[in-house]
Amino acid sequence: MKIVKFINTAFLAAVVFGLSGCGSETAVTEEYSFGQAQLRAGNTELYLFSPFELVKGQVRDTDTAVYVNQDQHVAVVVTYAPSTGLTSGEAVENAIAELEARSEYSIAEKNVSPATVRGEAATEGTVDYTVSVKGQVIPVAERILAFSHEGYIWTVRYTYRRDDKMAADVTEYVFKQLQ
């Protein structure tokens, strides 16, 4: 349960502080220098295409770590869990349920569909919602991609303001590379 609170807090902080600006029409590849973020779960490694370095954070009183980072356009959160009994579809549904559980979030639209990552079955989710913070309503989009890798289910979440074209473009660019 602590991981859910941590992830929700990270999302809310990203939406309120990091995503308050709007994007520009600058080309994604001119704005960002993409690379491979190295992530570890147990004894396994995963190299994930990313617009910036992902920082590992430990969730208090657990063995769980998450990888996060954000800039003025987009917040990225990557989590993992042992795949024992968990599917990529369930991981996406769990991520959406976390959003729905927050009273300050109002879900406008959500979609879940099959996807592929490195030729393997995966699940993608898209969620449009608003966040009410201090009397301000912020329109937010989130793309979620869950996939299996060496015994773990990885969940990649990109969150950004719906009116930020740069954020939408960088997210689309990354998701094309991941799939």
Side-chain angles (χ1 to χ4, degrees):
M1 194 58 162
K2 291 180 183 184
I3 189 155
V4 173
K5 289 180 183 178
F6 175 82
I7 292 169
N8 284 333
T9 301
F11 282 144
L12 186 58
V15 170
V16 173
F17 301 114
L19 304 177
S20 59
C22 289
S24 68
E25 297 296 323
T26 307
V28 168
T29 55
E30 291 176 10
E31 180 85 11
Y32 288 92
S33 176
F34 293 92
Q36 298 288 329
Q38 181 183 17
L39 313 179
R40 293 179 192 266
N43 294 325
T44 68
E45 291 182 344
L46 172 69
Y47 290 90
L48 191 68
F49 188 77
S50 177
F52 38 64
E53 183 179 352
L54 298 176
V55 181
K56 185 175 186 178
Q58 193 72 25
V59 180
R60 285 187 200 169
D61 303 326
T62 71
D63 294 342
T64 305
V66 297
Y67 292 88
V68 299
N69 208 340
Q70 70 182 52
D71 67 2
Q72 70 272 19
H73 297 289
V74 65
V76 179
V77 176
V78 179
T79 59
Y80 61 86
S83 60
T84 307
L86 181 66
T87 67
S88 63
E90 291 169 334
V92 169
E93 292 293 345
N94 291 345
I96 293 171
E98 290 171 15
L99 297 171
E100 291 175 321
R102 300 291 300 228
S103 62
E104 64 272 23
Y105 292 9
S106 178
I107 306 293
E109 185 178 338
K110 60 183 175 178
N111 295 300
V112 176
S113 59
T116 58
V117 173
R118 295 181 180 96
E120 300 289 329
T123 304
E124 182 174 349
T126 57
V127 185
D128 287 342
Y129 57 97
T130 57
V131 178
S132 298
V133 179
K134 297 181 182 180
Q136 185 180 22
V137 177
I138 302 168
V140 178
E142 185 166 325
R143 284 188 69 182
I144 306 162
L145 182 64
F147 58 94
S148 179
H149 177 72
E150 295 186 12
Y152 291 91
I153 296 291
W154 292 83
T155 305
V156 180
R157 300 168 74 159
Y158 274 65
T159 307
Y160 56 92
R161 286 181 62 111
R162 281 195 308 248
D163 58 358
D164 188 333
K165 178 156 176 31
M166 176 57 72
D169 289 348
V170 75
T171 300
E172 181 65 24
Y173 186 79
V174 168
F175 271 61
K176 282 182 180 178
Q177 302 298 319
L178 293 176
Q179 296 181 355

PDB file of all heavy atoms in Angstrom, residues 98-123:
ATOM      1  N   GLU A  98      -5.466   3.183  -9.338  1.00  0.00           N
ATOM      2  CA  GLU A  98      -4.810   4.140  -8.445  1.00  0.00           C
ATOM      3  C   GLU A  98      -5.276   5.556  -8.735  1.00  0.00           C
ATOM      4  O   GLU A  98      -5.524   6.345  -7.820  1.00  0.00           O
ATOM      5  CB  GLU A  98      -3.294   4.071  -8.596  1.00  0.00           C
ATOM      6  CG  GLU A  98      -2.654   2.822  -8.076  1.00  0.00           C
ATOM      7  CD  GLU A  98      -1.184   2.727  -8.459  1.00  0.00           C
ATOM      8  OE1 GLU A  98      -0.593   3.745  -8.884  1.00  0.00           O
ATOM      9  OE2 GLU A  98      -0.627   1.628  -8.333  1.00  0.00           O
ATOM     10  N   LEU A  99      -5.382   5.883 -10.012  1.00  0.00           N
ATOM     11  CA  LEU A  99      -5.851   7.218 -10.391  1.00  0.00           C
ATOM     12  C   LEU A  99      -7.301   7.424  -9.980  1.00  0.00           C
ATOM     13  O   LEU A  99      -7.673   8.480  -9.458  1.00  0.00           O
ATOM     14  CB  LEU A  99      -5.694   7.429 -11.898  1.00  0.00           C
ATOM     15  CG  LEU A  99      -4.280   7.404 -12.452  1.00  0.00           C
ATOM     16  CD1 LEU A  99      -4.293   7.409 -13.971  1.00  0.00           C
ATOM     17  CD2 LEU A  99      -3.475   8.580 -11.911  1.00  0.00           C
ATOM     18  N   GLU A 100      -8.134   6.423 -10.230  1.00  0.00           N
ATOM     19  CA  GLU A 100      -9.557   6.529  -9.910  1.00  0.00           C
ATOM     20  C   GLU A 100      -9.808   6.654  -8.414  1.00  0.00           C
ATOM     21  O   GLU A 100     -10.812   7.224  -7.993  1.00  0.00           O
ATOM     22  CB  GLU A 100     -10.313   5.315 -10.461  1.00  0.00           C
ATOM     23  CG  GLU A 100     -10.371   5.295 -11.967  1.00  0.00           C
ATOM     24  CD  GLU A 100     -11.009   4.045 -12.538  1.00  0.00           C
ATOM     25  OE1 GLU A 100     -10.772   2.938 -12.001  1.00  0.00           O
ATOM     26  OE2 GLU A 100     -11.734   4.178 -13.539  1.00  0.00           O
ATOM     27  N   ALA A 101      -8.893   6.142  -7.600  1.00  0.00           N
ATOM     28  CA  ALA A 101      -9.051   6.182  -6.147  1.00  0.00           C
ATOM     29  C   ALA A 101      -8.788   7.565  -5.549  1.00  0.00           C
ATOM     30  O   ALA A 101      -9.164   7.829  -4.411  1.00  0.00           O
ATOM     31  CB  ALA A 101      -8.138   5.156  -5.489  1.00  0.00           C
ATOM     32  N   ARG A 102      -8.162   8.436  -6.296  1.00  0.00           N
ATOM     33  CA  ARG A 102      -7.826   9.770  -5.794  1.00  0.00           C
ATOM     34  C   ARG A 102      -9.013  10.714  -5.941  1.00  0.00           C
ATOM     35  O   ARG A 102      -9.519  10.915  -7.035  1.00  0.00           O
ATOM     36  CB  ARG A 102      -6.627  10.341  -6.554  1.00  0.00           C
ATOM     37  CG  ARG A 102      -5.345   9.536  -6.463  1.00  0.00           C
ATOM     38  CD  ARG A 102      -4.764   9.578  -5.077  1.00  0.00           C
ATOM     39  NE  ARG A 102      -4.453  10.921  -4.691  1.00  0.00           N
ATOM     40  CZ  ARG A 102      -3.328  11.310  -4.153  1.00  0.00           C
ATOM     41  NH1 ARG A 102      -2.381  10.443  -3.932  1.00  0.00           N
ATOM     42  NH2 ARG A 102      -3.142  12.571  -3.821  1.00  0.00           N
ATOM     43  N   SER A 103      -9.435  11.308  -4.851  1.00  0.00           N
ATOM     44  CA  SER A 103     -10.617  12.183  -4.883  1.00  0.00           C
ATOM     45  C   SER A 103     -10.376  13.456  -5.691  1.00  0.00           C
ATOM     46  O   SER A 103     -11.316  14.018  -6.243  1.00  0.00           O
ATOM     47  CB  SER A 103     -11.044  12.539  -3.457  1.00  0.00           C
ATOM     48  OG  SER A 103     -10.014  13.250  -2.789  1.00  0.00           O
ATOM     49  N   GLU A 104      -9.139  13.898  -5.787  1.00  0.00           N
ATOM     50  CA  GLU A 104      -8.859  15.128  -6.546  1.00  0.00           C
ATOM     51  C   GLU A 104      -8.724  14.880  -8.052  1.00  0.00           C
ATOM     52  O   GLU A 104      -8.567  15.809  -8.825  1.00  0.00           O
ATOM     53  CB  GLU A 104      -7.619  15.842  -6.007  1.00  0.00           C
ATOM     54  CG  GLU A 104      -6.326  15.090  -6.135  1.00  0.00           C
ATOM     55  CD  GLU A 104      -6.012  14.165  -4.966  1.00  0.00           C
ATOM     56  OE1 GLU A 104      -6.916  13.738  -4.231  1.00  0.00           O
ATOM     57  OE2 GLU A 104      -4.832  13.863  -4.793  1.00  0.00           O
ATOM     58  N   TYR A 105      -8.782  13.612  -8.464  1.00  0.00           N
ATOM     59  CA  TYR A 105      -8.701  13.251  -9.882  1.00  0.00           C
ATOM     60  C   TYR A 105     -10.105  12.938 -10.389  1.00  0.00           C
ATOM     61  O   TYR A 105     -10.864  12.225  -9.737  1.00  0.00           O
ATOM     62  CB  TYR A 105      -7.840  12.006 -10.099  1.00  0.00           C
ATOM     63  CG  TYR A 105      -6.363  12.155  -9.817  1.00  0.00           C
ATOM     64  CD1 TYR A 105      -5.829  13.291  -9.219  1.00  0.00           C
ATOM     65  CD2 TYR A 105      -5.489  11.138 -10.135  1.00  0.00           C
ATOM     66  CE1 TYR A 105      -4.480  13.401  -8.972  1.00  0.00           C
ATOM     67  CE2 TYR A 105      -4.127  11.247  -9.879  1.00  0.00           C
ATOM     68  CZ  TYR A 105      -3.634  12.384  -9.295  1.00  0.00           C
ATOM     69  OH  TYR A 105      -2.301  12.495  -9.050  1.00  0.00           O
ATOM     70  N   SER A 106     -10.417  13.436 -11.568  1.00  0.00           N
ATOM     71  CA  SER A 106     -11.697  13.137 -12.203  1.00  0.00           C
ATOM     72  C   SER A 106     -11.404  12.548 -13.586  1.00  0.00           C
ATOM     73  O   SER A 106     -10.958  13.264 -14.489  1.00  0.00           O
ATOM     74  CB  SER A 106     -12.535  14.409 -12.325  1.00  0.00           C
ATOM     75  OG  SER A 106     -13.744  14.131 -12.972  1.00  0.00           O
ATOM     76  N   ILE A 107     -11.649  11.251 -13.745  1.00  0.00           N
ATOM     77  CA  ILE A 107     -11.338  10.545 -14.986  1.00  0.00           C
ATOM     78  C   ILE A 107     -12.365  10.918 -16.049  1.00  0.00           C
ATOM     79  O   ILE A 107     -13.571  10.777 -15.851  1.00  0.00           O
ATOM     80  CB  ILE A 107     -11.352   9.014 -14.781  1.00  0.00           C
ATOM     81  CG1 ILE A 107     -10.431   8.599 -13.628  1.00  0.00           C
ATOM     82  CG2 ILE A 107     -11.029   8.287 -16.076  1.00  0.00           C
ATOM     83  CD1 ILE A 107      -8.972   8.813 -13.849  1.00  0.00           C
ATOM     84  N   ALA A 108     -11.890  11.407 -17.190  1.00  0.00           N
ATOM     85  CA  ALA A 108     -12.768  11.749 -18.305  1.00  0.00           C
ATOM     86  C   ALA A 108     -12.859  10.602 -19.304  1.00  0.00           C
ATOM     87  O   ALA A 108     -13.931  10.322 -19.844  1.00  0.00           O
ATOM     88  CB  ALA A 108     -12.271  13.015 -18.999  1.00  0.00           C
ATOM     89  N   GLU A 109     -11.731   9.946 -19.554  1.00  0.00           N
ATOM     90  CA  GLU A 109     -11.690   8.865 -20.542  1.00  0.00           C
ATOM     91  C   GLU A 109     -10.537   7.930 -20.220  1.00  0.00           C
ATOM     92  O   GLU A 109      -9.478   8.367 -19.772  1.00  0.00           O
ATOM     93  CB  GLU A 109     -11.497   9.449 -21.938  1.00  0.00           C
ATOM     94  CG  GLU A 109     -11.563   8.448 -23.054  1.00  0.00           C
ATOM     95  CD  GLU A 109     -11.409   9.105 -24.421  1.00  0.00           C
ATOM     96  OE1 GLU A 109     -11.654  10.306 -24.557  1.00  0.00           O
ATOM     97  OE2 GLU A 109     -11.014   8.380 -25.341  1.00  0.00           O
ATOM     98  N   LYS A 110     -10.749   6.636 -20.459  1.00  0.00           N
ATOM     99  CA  LYS A 110      -9.670   5.664 -20.271  1.00  0.00           C
ATOM    100  C   LYS A 110      -9.819   4.571 -21.313  1.00  0.00           C
ATOM    101  O   LYS A 110     -10.925   4.193 -21.697  1.00  0.00           O
ATOM    102  CB  LYS A 110      -9.681   5.079 -18.863  1.00  0.00           C
ATOM    103  CG  LYS A 110     -10.957   4.349 -18.505  1.00  0.00           C
ATOM    104  CD  LYS A 110     -10.931   3.858 -17.081  1.00  0.00           C
ATOM    105  CE  LYS A 110     -12.279   3.235 -16.739  1.00  0.00           C
ATOM    106  NZ  LYS A 110     -12.301   2.703 -15.401  1.00  0.00           N
ATOM    107  N   ASN A 111      -8.685   4.085 -21.801  1.00  0.00           N
ATOM    108  CA  ASN A 111      -8.651   3.009 -22.781  1.00  0.00           C
ATOM    109  C   ASN A 111      -7.511   2.070 -22.441  1.00  0.00           C
ATOM    110  O   ASN A 111      -6.430   2.515 -22.056  1.00  0.00           O
ATOM    111  CB  ASN A 111      -8.429   3.560 -24.193  1.00  0.00           C
ATOM    112  CG  ASN A 111      -9.568   4.422 -24.656  1.00  0.00           C
ATOM    113  OD1 ASN A 111     -10.695   3.966 -24.748  1.00  0.00           O
ATOM    114  ND2 ASN A 111      -9.288   5.699 -24.926  1.00  0.00           N
ATOM    115  N   VAL A 112      -7.757   0.778 -22.624  1.00  0.00           N
ATOM    116  CA  VAL A 112      -6.735  -0.243 -22.430  1.00  0.00           C
ATOM    117  C   VAL A 112      -6.718  -1.090 -23.691  1.00  0.00           C
ATOM    118  O   VAL A 112      -7.768  -1.490 -24.190  1.00  0.00           O
ATOM    119  CB  VAL A 112      -7.041  -1.120 -21.193  1.00  0.00           C
ATOM    120  CG1 VAL A 112      -6.019  -2.237 -21.053  1.00  0.00           C
ATOM    121  CG2 VAL A 112      -7.096  -0.272 -19.933  1.00  0.00           C
ATOM    122  N   SER A 113      -5.503  -1.331 -24.214  1.00  0.00           N
ATOM    123  CA  SER A 113      -5.408  -2.107 -25.451  1.00  0.00           C
ATOM    124  C   SER A 113      -4.130  -2.944 -25.449  1.00  0.00           C
ATOM    125  O   SER A 113      -3.165  -2.623 -24.758  1.00  0.00           O
ATOM    126  CB  SER A 113      -5.421  -1.176 -26.664  1.00  0.00           C
ATOM    127  OG  SER A 113      -4.343  -0.275 -26.599  1.00  0.00           O
ATOM    128  N   PRO A 114      -4.130  -4.013 -26.262  1.00  0.00           N
ATOM    129  CA  PRO A 114      -2.916  -4.819 -26.372  1.00  0.00           C
ATOM    130  C   PRO A 114      -1.814  -4.040 -27.086  1.00  0.00           C
ATOM    131  O   PRO A 114      -2.094  -3.169 -27.915  1.00  0.00           O
ATOM    132  CB  PRO A 114      -3.344  -6.033 -27.193  1.00  0.00           C
ATOM    133  CG  PRO A 114      -4.709  -5.761 -27.685  1.00  0.00           C
ATOM    134  CD  PRO A 114      -5.232  -4.537 -27.038  1.00  0.00           C
ATOM    135  N   ALA A 115      -0.581  -4.350 -26.752  1.00  0.00           N
ATOM    136  CA  ALA A 115       0.582  -3.704 -27.367  1.00  0.00           C
ATOM    137  C   ALA A 115       1.692  -4.749 -27.436  1.00  0.00           C
ATOM    138  O   ALA A 115       1.513  -5.892 -27.010  1.00  0.00           O
ATOM    139  CB  ALA A 115       1.016  -2.498 -26.534  1.00  0.00           C
ATOM    140  N   THR A 116       2.834  -4.338 -27.950  1.00  0.00           N
ATOM    141  CA  THR A 116       4.007  -5.195 -27.945  1.00  0.00           C
ATOM    142  C   THR A 116       5.218  -4.396 -27.487  1.00  0.00           C
ATOM    143  O   THR A 116       5.306  -3.188 -27.733  1.00  0.00           O
ATOM    144  CB  THR A 116       4.311  -5.793 -29.343  1.00  0.00           C
ATOM    145  OG1 THR A 116       4.502  -4.716 -30.259  1.00  0.00           O
ATOM    146  CG2 THR A 116       3.198  -6.697 -29.822  1.00  0.00           C
ATOM    147  N   VAL A 117       6.127  -5.081 -26.815  1.00  0.00           N
ATOM    148  CA  VAL A 117       7.417  -4.516 -26.430  1.00  0.00           C
ATOM    149  C   VAL A 117       8.451  -5.573 -26.754  1.00  0.00           C
ATOM    150  O   VAL A 117       8.363  -6.707 -26.269  1.00  0.00           O
ATOM    151  CB  VAL A 117       7.460  -4.149 -24.935  1.00  0.00           C
ATOM    152  CG1 VAL A 117       8.865  -3.732 -24.519  1.00  0.00           C
ATOM    153  CG2 VAL A 117       6.466  -3.038 -24.621  1.00  0.00           C
ATOM    154  N   ARG A 118       9.396  -5.219 -27.604  1.00  0.00           N
ATOM    155  CA  ARG A 118      10.443  -6.152 -28.048  1.00  0.00           C
ATOM    156  C   ARG A 118       9.845  -7.443 -28.600  1.00  0.00           C
ATOM    157  O   ARG A 118      10.329  -8.534 -28.354  1.00  0.00           O
ATOM    158  CB  ARG A 118      11.389  -6.461 -26.897  1.00  0.00           C
ATOM    159  CG  ARG A 118      12.178  -5.268 -26.405  1.00  0.00           C
ATOM    160  CD  ARG A 118      13.105  -5.677 -25.277  1.00  0.00           C
ATOM    161  NE  ARG A 118      13.846  -4.549 -24.801  1.00  0.00           N
ATOM    162  CZ  ARG A 118      13.492  -3.808 -23.750  1.00  0.00           C
ATOM    163  NH1 ARG A 118      12.414  -4.100 -23.075  1.00  0.00           N
ATOM    164  NH2 ARG A 118      14.232  -2.790 -23.388  1.00  0.00           N
ATOM    165  N   GLY A 119       8.750  -7.308 -29.320  1.00  0.00           N
ATOM    166  CA  GLY A 119       8.103  -8.453 -29.948  1.00  0.00           C
ATOM    167  C   GLY A 119       7.261  -9.307 -29.017  1.00  0.00           C
ATOM    168  O   GLY A 119       6.671 -10.288 -29.443  1.00  0.00           O
ATOM    169  N   GLU A 120       7.181  -8.942 -27.745  1.00  0.00           N
ATOM    170  CA  GLU A 120       6.408  -9.692 -26.752  1.00  0.00           C
ATOM    171  C   GLU A 120       5.105  -8.967 -26.442  1.00  0.00           C
ATOM    172  O   GLU A 120       5.018  -7.739 -26.548  1.00  0.00           O
ATOM    173  CB  GLU A 120       7.211  -9.854 -25.454  1.00  0.00           C
ATOM    174  CG  GLU A 120       8.514 -10.590 -25.621  1.00  0.00           C
ATOM    175  CD  GLU A 120       8.333 -12.073 -25.900  1.00  0.00           C
ATOM    176  OE1 GLU A 120       7.351 -12.654 -25.413  1.00  0.00           O
ATOM    177  OE2 GLU A 120       9.185 -12.637 -26.616  1.00  0.00           O
ATOM    178  N   ALA A 121       4.098  -9.725 -26.011  1.00  0.00           N
ATOM    179  CA  ALA A 121       2.808  -9.151 -25.645  1.00  0.00           C
ATOM    180  C   ALA A 121       2.967  -8.188 -24.473  1.00  0.00           C
ATOM    181  O   ALA A 121       3.712  -8.442 -23.528  1.00  0.00           O
ATOM    182  CB  ALA A 121       1.821 -10.251 -25.293  1.00  0.00           C
ATOM    183  N   ALA A 122       2.262  -7.077 -24.557  1.00  0.00           N
ATOM    184  CA  ALA A 122       2.265  -6.049 -23.521  1.00  0.00           C
ATOM    185  C   ALA A 122       0.869  -5.429 -23.490  1.00  0.00           C
ATOM    186  O   ALA A 122      -0.005  -5.812 -24.272  1.00  0.00           O
ATOM    187  CB  ALA A 122       3.330  -4.991 -23.829  1.00  0.00           C
ATOM    188  N   THR A 123       0.670  -4.465 -22.613  1.00  0.00           N
ATOM    189  CA  THR A 123      -0.615  -3.770 -22.515  1.00  0.00           C
ATOM    190  C   THR A 123      -0.352  -2.280 -22.395  1.00  0.00           C
ATOM    191  O   THR A 123       0.544  -1.852 -21.664  1.00  0.00           O
ATOM    192  CB  THR A 123      -1.415  -4.260 -21.296  1.00  0.00           C
ATOM    193  OG1 THR A 123      -1.576  -5.680 -21.378  1.00  0.00           O
ATOM    194  CG2 THR A 123      -2.788  -3.609 -21.247  1.00  0.00           C
TER     195      THR A 123
END
